[in-house]
Amino acid sequence: MSAHRSADRDGATFYQLHLLLDKHAGEQLTLIDTIAERVQTLGGLAVGDPRHVAEITMVPRPPDGAEEVPAMLSRLLEVHEIILVEAHDAAARVAQLGDDGTNDLLVSDVIRTGEMQAWFLAEHLVDTPLVRSSHAR
């Protein structure tokens, strides 16, 4: 067992990781609500059922069971990369269509939050080798 895994199990980084992921989740929930409101404002129907979201998302399903912390954080970082690429593409498309409100939401909220969260995750992984889950794409 590596020193890092032992440290995580012993709680040496548990509190920092807990705070990071709690903040992360709160920011993501805020984004989900903001995006859903924008969809509804534009006359669309926001997807509210997690099962439906799971069917239409580009984000790979996480593996069943527990993961080592480095694998979990690496997988989360990969998801942020997927979202950021899609958000940049969508921002460019809606800008061409003249939808300034959606462009602002994507750039100011989705992209800025995603970049910051990815940076925090990457910083947390600095002392930990990036590990891909055996269930990764």
Side-chain angles (χ1 to χ4, degrees):
M1 177 182 300
S2 75
H4 182 77
R5 279 193 229 147
S6 176
D8 279 333
R9 289 189 180 140
D10 294 339
T13 62
F14 175 81
Y15 186 69
Q16 288 177 325
L17 188 59
H18 182 72
L19 291 177
L20 173 72
L21 294 178
D22 271 357
K23 181 178 184 292
H24 198 102
E27 291 169 349
Q28 287 299 310
L29 288 172
T30 298
L31 282 175
I32 290 167
D33 189 48
T34 303
I35 293 166
E37 288 171 357
R38 182 69 185 161
V39 168
Q40 297 284 123
T41 298
L42 294 174
L45 181 61
V47 177
D49 183 340
R51 294 169 299 179
H52 187 206
V53 172
E55 291 171 3
I56 63 173
T57 186
M58 296 177 69
V59 174
R61 186 176 186 274
D64 292 331
E67 289 181 282
E68 293 292 334
V69 170
M72 177 191 67
L73 295 179
S74 295
R75 188 173 47 77
L76 186 54
L77 192 54
E78 289 173 4
V79 169
H80 275 293
E81 291 169 5
I82 292 168
I83 292 168
L84 286 168
V85 166
E86 292 300 315
H88 279 281
D89 289 348
R93 283 194 311 271
V94 296
Q96 288 177 343
L97 295 171
D99 184 350
D100 296 333
T102 302
N103 179 269
D104 180 56
L105 169 80
L106 289 167
V107 173
S108 298
D109 296 319
V110 176
I111 292 172
R112 286 189 186 160
T113 299
E115 288 174 344
M116 186 63 72
Q117 288 183 338
W119 178 67
F120 277 120
L121 288 170
E123 287 298 309
H124 197 83
L125 283 167
V126 166
D127 295 326
T128 307
L130 291 178
V131 177
R132 294 201 186 270
S133 168
S134 60
H135 301 286
R137 303 178 256 157

